[in-house]
Amino acid sequence: MRSICSFVENTKKMHCVSHILSLGHLIKHLPCTKSHTFLRRRFHYKALSNATVSTTASCFKTLSSSQQDQIHLYVDTLLQWNQKMNLTATKEADEVMERHIEDSLAILPPIKTCYNLHSSDLFDHINLIDVGSGAGLPGLVLAIACPDWRVTLLESINKRCVFLEHVVNVTGLTNVTIVRGRAESCGHDVMYREKFDVAIARAVAEMRVLAEYCLPLVRIGGLFVAAKGHDPKEEVQNAENAVRLLGGSILQISPVDSHSPYGQRTTVVCRKDHSTPQKYPREAGTPAKLPL
């Protein structure tokens, strides 16, 4: 595999501290998980227990040595900073690797499968936003794994943005932009509204809320991806109407192996079919208080 550590010049954007990375071809070599497809306007959910494909154990090993070094630098920095600020409940490096890094990498095959099926654009050059990035999961991990992607980390808490900026400097990433702000505001900003190929969120909120955070940021034909728990059936069913109101449709759920207590997580993938009505997202705090 060719080196995936090429760098491009640092840039700055309004309301953000940015370091723009180059993104690689690892994704071409990632295995794809089996998935359960959703018919538009009608929800179908099948049992996941026998459909899980093992991806987490192999994804990290698929990375180049330089990418693995970047991951280890990130994990070390995360644990150091976690001693003085609340970034993760996980305290040990091995557990971070198992519970967070491998979980984040396992999201890639379902994204690849859906993107290649439903978009004519090149998968190798995706413009992705991680909404509510927190400690950089999964956005920073995806930026390391896919150095030809442009990755934006959206985070509302300033001290977490400072941490993310530090990690970007430590790891040498050049394809990452850090934006301090709320999804409800960025969703109405012309710089961000309907500008991304993929919006992703992990451990942020329930699906109805995530849909209002993420879908306004996704271009027509792009994807909204939610990393959820081992059995999101009821949650996804409840979100179907919200997704439709916001211009999307549920494409599929993809079970992936995980080191979570249940041994499995689920990636929910939605497609942006048409523009989000201008009144969405609603003002800050409303989506969480009054989900669609």
Side-chain angles (χ1 to χ4, degrees):
M1 179 183 299
R2 67 172 179 82
S3 173
I4 26 190
C5 292
S6 60
F7 300 93
V8 292
E9 63 179 0
N10 292 342
T11 61
K12 290 187 178 181
K13 290 185 177 181
M14 185 181 305
H15 309 305
C16 71
V17 180
S18 65
H19 301 273
I20 299 181
L21 281 171
S22 75
L23 305 133
H25 292 211
L26 159 77
I27 196 63
K28 292 181 179 178
H29 306 289
L30 286 171
C32 296
T33 58
K34 295 181 181 179
S35 60
H36 301 288
T37 302
F38 290 81
L39 299 178
R40 197 172 300 175
R41 299 188 179 280
R42 189 173 181 183
F43 192 97
H44 296 278
Y45 185 97
K46 297 180 181 179
L48 303 179
S49 58
N50 296 323
T52 304
V53 175
S54 180
T55 59
T56 55
S58 62
C59 285
F60 178 74
K61 294 179 182 178
T62 306
L63 299 175
S64 69
S65 59
S66 60
Q67 288 172 315
Q68 292 183 21
D69 289 343
Q70 286 177 305
I71 292 289
H72 287 305
L73 280 171
Y74 165 58
V75 172
D76 289 344
T77 305
L78 173 64
L79 292 175
Q80 289 170 9
W81 281 58
N82 199 50
Q83 295 176 21
K84 54 186 178 182
M85 58 187 291
N86 183 26
L87 293 168
T88 176
T90 308
K91 306 299 182 183
E92 301 296 330
D94 288 346
E95 190 176 3
V96 173
M97 291 296 297
E98 292 178 349
R99 296 287 298 274
H100 296 309
I101 303 303
E102 293 183 349
D103 271 11
S104 296
L105 290 172
I107 297 170
L108 282 169
I111 298 176
K112 178 181 180 181
T113 299
C114 285
Y115 197 84
N116 286 340
L117 283 174
H118 298 280
S119 177
S120 59
D121 294 335
L122 292 176
F123 181 76
D124 291 337
H125 300 283
I126 279 177
N127 185 14
L128 177 144
I129 184 167
D130 178 14
V131 176
S133 189
L137 298 162
L140 271 173
V141 178
L142 300 182
I144 291 171
C146 303
D148 291 327
W149 287 9
R150 289 171 291 156
V151 176
T152 297
L153 308 179
L154 177 60
E155 173 54 47
S156 63
I157 299 177
N158 184 65
K159 63 182 180 180
R160 290 179 182 170
C161 291
V162 174
F163 165 74
L164 294 172
E165 180 188 2
H166 179 71
V167 172
V168 167
N169 287 327
V170 167
T171 56
L173 291 172
T174 57
N175 60 341
V176 174
T177 300
I178 301 164
V179 177
R180 183 170 65 87
R182 295 183 66 104
E184 298 99 323
S185 299
C186 289
H188 288 287
D189 191 322
V190 294
M191 290 181 62
Y192 309 112
R193 187 177 178 88
E194 299 192 338
K195 291 295 192 294
F196 295 92
D197 301 311
V198 176
I200 192 165
R202 178 179 184 264
V204 174
E206 64 153 293
M207 276 291 297
R208 291 178 297 170
V209 179
L210 286 183
E212 190 166 357
Y213 289 165
C214 294
L215 277 169
L217 300 168
V218 179
R219 66 168 175 82
I220 296 173
L223 301 178
F224 154 45
V225 179
K228 305 304 294 182
H230 77 291
D231 185 7
K233 177 181 179 180
E234 183 176 355
E235 181 181 347
V236 178
Q237 286 177 327
N238 290 339
E240 188 179 13
N241 184 59
V243 170
R244 186 164 55 247
L245 280 174
L246 295 160
S249 57
I250 299 170
L251 287 179
Q252 68 177 43
I253 57 173
S254 298
V256 293
D257 279 352
S258 170
H259 292 271
S260 70
Y262 294 98
Q264 180 182 292
R265 292 183 64 84
T266 304
T267 300
V268 182
V269 184
C270 304
R271 184 180 188 273
K272 181 73 169 282
D273 299 315
H274 52 80
S275 290
T276 299
Q278 195 61 41
K279 64 181 179 180
Y280 299 115
R282 292 166 292 169
E283 65 182 17
T286 302
K289 293 177 183 177
L290 299 170
L292 293 172

